[in-house]
Amino acid sequence: MNTPAAPLTRVSQTALRDGVLIALAESLTSGLLASRVGAAPDASSWFAGGVVAYRTAVKEDLLGLPPGTDPCSAECAEQLARGVRTLLAADVSISTTGVGGPDPQDGHPPGTVYLGWATSTGSGHRLLRIDGPPETVVETTVAEALALLDGVLSR
């Protein structure tokens, strides 16, 4: 059975086994992802920490997002992941960015979400289209980010 805790349990086991340090960069999820990861088994051994970069200026100044980059884009998600990985000297990083709603933002419909990931061998992204109110968008994003982290660690 795949319960919500299952990806975190696997993440913890894999990170401990492989000696992997994990970092997070969050915009859309405003720290909720880090809160969940920090509560995982043995997180103090493998979780470096996270950055909540809600404002575009923070994304640019702290995580290296080039000015003018759409904050709801694959490029943004990947740079946030690369930036936090470097900033916190982690092995693997995950990022979240997008439009929670209820209204569109900068031409993007609510529920448009990008997840990013970065490792020493590269980076990538995943686009999500989530229906529902902002709370559903955020909770679904966290669940999908945990699944992505689990998948990246399993490679």
Side-chain angles (χ1 to χ4, degrees), residues 6-73:
L8 271 176
T9 300
R10 287 190 301 272
V11 163
S12 179
Q13 292 167 346
T14 303
L16 282 170
R17 181 191 70 216
D18 298 344
V20 173
L21 194 58
I22 295 168
L24 305 171
E26 298 182 74
S27 180
L28 172 67
T29 50
S30 301
L32 184 60
L33 178 59
S35 177
R36 299 272 169 83
V37 169
D42 302 307
S44 63
S45 299
W46 51 264
F47 181 37
V51 172
V52 176
Y54 205 75
R55 296 188 67 210
T56 300
V58 176
K59 294 173 179 75
E60 293 171 356
D61 296 344
L62 192 61
L63 299 176
L65 185 68
T69 303
D70 183 349
C72 181
S73 67

Side-chain angles (χ1 to χ4, degrees), residues 71-141:
C72 181
S73 67
E75 296 82 6
C76 180
E78 289 185 33
Q79 181 55 45
L80 296 182
R82 288 190 300 265
V84 79
R85 182 179 171 276
T86 299
L87 183 67
L88 298 182
D91 301 300
V92 174
S93 61
I94 299 292
S95 69
T96 66
T97 192
V99 180
D103 300 315
Q105 185 177 345
D106 299 325
H108 301 286
T112 303
V113 175
Y114 286 90
L115 303 177
W117 59 267
T119 68
S120 62
T121 59
S123 61
H125 70 276
R126 180 176 295 162
L127 169 63
L128 306 173
R129 303 247 187 233
I130 304 167
D131 291 324
E135 298 80 15
T136 299
V137 173
V138 170
E139 285 292 341
T140 302
T141 299

